[in-house]
Amino acid sequence: MMSEGSSFMKGMVLGGIFCLVMSFFENFNSGTHSEVHEHLHHHLKPLSKDELEKLSESQMSDLPLQVRVYCLIMVTPKLLVHWATANDTWSKHCDKSVFYTSESSKALEAVDLQEQDEWARLRKAIKHAYENAGDLRWFFVARPTTFAIIENLKYLVLDKDPSQPFYIGHTEKSGELDYVEYDSGIVLSYEAMRRLIEMFKDEDRCPERGHALWKTSEEKQLATCLKYSGVFAENGEDAQGKGLFNKKSVSSLISDSMGQNPADVVEACCSDMAITFAGMSPSQMQVLMYGVYRLRPYGHDFHDSLTFLPPKDSDND
Amino acid sequence: MKALGSRFAFYVGFVVGTCTLYVLLRQVRFTRNVGSVEPEAHEKSLLEMIEEENKNWKKERSALFNLNHPHHTGEDGTLADALYKSVRILCWVMTGPNNLEKKARHVKATWSRHCNIVVFISSVDDPDFPTVGLNTKEGRDQLYWKTIRAFHYVMEKHGDEADWFLKADDDTYVVVDNLRWILANHSPEDPLYFGRRFKPYVKQGYMSGGAGYVLSKEALRRFVEGFRTKVCTHTSSVEDLALGQCMEKIGVVAGDSRDTLERETFHPFVPESHLTGTFPKTFWYWNYCYYPIVQGPQCCSDLAVSFHYVDASHMYLLEYYTYHLRAFGYKYRYQPPKPSVIQDLNAPAPDKVEIGDIEEKLGAEEQEGEKKSHEHNEKLKQISA
């Protein structure tokens, strides 16, 4: 009995020492590691005002045609109210917006993919969008619980070539994988879509139905497939480094800012050119629609070098 | 057997030791990180707050004089600046000692920075904030006393330093630039007052207190004179109604503050209520509004002037929506006509303003807007005649 007890104690002590030693090594390594990772973590910013002004006449006239956006909005009947709100608000500013649903609803129009599995549904939607893109070269994937300001999305990708692979949004890390968060919207260029669809054929590296015991979220599966085809996630930010894709609501971000930056709540909170917010109620989204596209102080003008006209048959923008 | 048993115990002990230490280390690291961030942020912010305030305001005679009309990076504020100079607005905010930290502070940090002068009216003098105490008590029954004394106070101390005098609550959010747009079409020498017009009790209507209302200099003169000659007295504590009754007696005209598309600009509730809410048929609001009530997107002008029942975080939200968040390159549907004051000044247009062909496309809407504004001015001339 005694010998067992003392063995146990000896084991514990050795185990503790072992752990301490390992953690020292880890600190040492991760100190250098994180620096390396910072550089690999891509940041994508829009053109500055000066750079915009330097563009030639012909370049300027081409831009509005190049930056046209196809919106894929992934809905389910459970999200009917948000679905209706997205339909009535921000999706009108996409050049083409298509709702993809798991099952059809009598109330609203959508492409019925008849698929309950979210990843499989996303794959089908992506294929459908690519085939029906026409001459649209940018793709935005979101759920109806996200609110997107498409003009600001266009501003972000204005000078980016869609025949290059782009995968943009709010990036997070999961182990070695950099992925774009679904809640704050995912931007894909035409080339990224093409490579992704090619990769869909590879059942080993990009399976349609996961073989693992646990399910990985669609956002991570998407990131994995894209990574295998050489497309890496990039974080969309403004010139000051503020994130443009938000997975929180405006009021939530304001509350956070009131706690952390009481001296300068609004400046510190959110970007002027924010692209997405998430987790807002349908009526909050209507207020946001009014706040972005209508409410403004008279006499303050921004002479943007590009103009986007309001959509037809709409009265809340 | 014994040897095996002790070896097994050793291994188990090893695992237990590793795990315990691991958990402990994580906890230590976590608390260390959290601990180091918080106190720093707090100290910095207090100093920053005072610095910010000193940059923006000149504290003098218990009022805040605006030093720099807030500007945004990358914006062309020439039109707003011209109006700032020619349409001087003194904002006085009804507050109390218990609300300075909860409410008035946020008014100070947001919309009041766009007024030419701000005075916070309370029952107690506070030289730091600063607030002016006017020998009243606190409470709903003191509202009209506070209002009467406040208007007398601003007339006496600042009568020559402003053209228009706005009253707001500490839970009212005001877009002062849009108020200037409306007022620029009128003369401060005319006896006028604007706000959200209510119809009961007063023949020409009266303005809702919570949504804020603004008096011309002539209106303010007559108000003060009215109390001197006892034409007006403290008739009741229902501040907005009592004031409205006084206005009618002294010949101050209740104006139409709607935009050129006849959409309301002063609002007695938060944007969400007007844009998405449906007021029940029995709600008092239906019987009060002077003009037809519109629910949904056309409830509210793009150039909204005020909202009421706005709490602290909502103040910052509205400030963000109004002055910060925008859609790049978006051509607004509503193109408001330039006020007559600006047209008279003949301000030279900055280089890139006239994007001619695009303006032509929406020219029809603009012309309609101008027609309405012309009709608008005609109507007013008739009323004040």
Side-chain angles (χ1 to χ4, degrees), chain A residues 7-260:
Chain A
S7 300
F8 183 81
M9 293 312 288
K10 272 187 230 166
M12 258 196 79
V13 170
L14 268 171
I17 296 170
F18 173 73
C19 188
L20 277 166
V21 170
M22 288 311 289
S23 76
F24 274 129
F25 271 122
E26 192 191 43
N27 274 332
F28 199 67
N29 279 335
S30 67
T32 46
H33 249 216
S34 57
E35 277 175 57
V36 177
H37 277 153
E38 284 296 315
H39 290 297
L40 287 179
H41 191 97
H42 292 270
H43 304 267
L44 199 93
K45 297 188 183 198
L47 273 179
S48 72
K49 195 161 179 159
D50 300 321
E51 288 168 336
L52 257 177
E53 278 165 17
K54 282 191 202 138
L55 292 175
S56 71
E57 280 273 326
S58 60
Q59 280 176 308
M60 285 304 286
S61 55
D62 283 340
L63 281 178
L65 289 171
Q66 257 203 315
V67 284
R68 293 165 72 220
V69 179
Y70 185 121
C71 294
L72 295 80
I73 306 159
M74 309 299 294
V75 298
T76 62
K78 259 195 248 174
L79 296 171
L80 197 66
V81 192
H82 279 97
W83 176 350
T85 309
N87 195 27
D88 187 43
T89 58
W90 63 267
S91 68
K92 291 185 280 190
H93 290 250
C94 306
D95 294 279
K96 183 171 177 147
S97 62
V98 182
F99 290 80
Y100 294 95
T101 180
S102 56
E103 53 183 281
S104 61
S105 157
K106 289 200 192 112
L108 293 160
E109 243 182 68
V111 171
D112 185 0
L113 298 170
Q114 289 162 341
E115 177 66 67
Q116 286 301 322
D117 179 68
E118 281 141 345
W119 173 231
R121 201 159 70 231
L122 185 58
R123 289 168 64 117
K124 284 189 182 169
I126 286 172
K127 275 189 240 172
H128 181 274
Y130 185 77
E131 280 155 25
N132 292 280
D135 54 0
L136 273 60
R137 291 292 170 264
W138 288 98
F139 300 82
F140 176 66
V141 188
R143 296 195 187 102
T145 43
T146 307
F147 188 104
I149 303 166
I150 300 296
E151 287 81 5
N152 291 347
L153 170 54
K154 292 186 178 185
Y155 177 53
L156 179 65
V157 299
L158 210 54
D159 64 325
K160 305 341 182 232
D161 182 2
S163 61
Q164 292 295 312
F166 284 99
Y167 167 43
I168 313 164
H170 174 82
T171 52
E172 283 294 336
K173 246 179 133 38
S174 172
E176 284 295 316
L177 183 72
D178 272 341
Y179 66 95
V180 168
E181 266 189 347
Y182 203 162
D183 281 339
S184 41
I186 305 170
V187 181
L188 291 162
S189 69
Y190 192 73
E191 174 62 16
M193 294 279 281
R194 193 194 65 76
R195 291 195 194 186
L196 184 58
I197 289 167
E198 264 308 301
M199 187 54 61
F200 282 164
K201 297 176 188 163
D202 187 336
E203 264 298 308
D204 291 318
R205 293 189 292 172
C206 186
E208 185 165 356
R209 319 269 163 184
H211 306 296
L213 284 169
W214 58 90
K215 273 184 89 174
T216 332
S217 60
E218 317 90 273
E219 55 197 1
K220 289 187 192 143
Q221 298 213 50
L222 183 70
T224 310
C225 295
L226 280 165
K227 191 171 176 180
Y228 281 131
S229 40
V231 186
F232 299 96
E234 294 184 89
N235 196 50
E237 6 183 283
D238 68 9
Q240 286 80 42
K242 272 191 229 159
L244 294 170
F245 296 85
N246 300 290
K247 64 171 179 185
K248 285 182 169 186
S249 65
V250 185
S251 41
S252 179
L253 290 164
I254 295 268
S255 295
D256 290 347
S257 195
M258 282 173 76
Q260 288 163 11

Side-chain angles (χ1 to χ4, degrees), chain A residues 260, chain B residues 37-50:
Chain A
Q260 288 163 11
Chain B
V37 172
E38 275 198 54
E40 239 182 75
H42 240 274
E43 268 172 47
K44 218 199 242 179
S45 60
L46 273 170
L47 276 168
E48 273 181 352
M49 271 203 298
I50 300 171

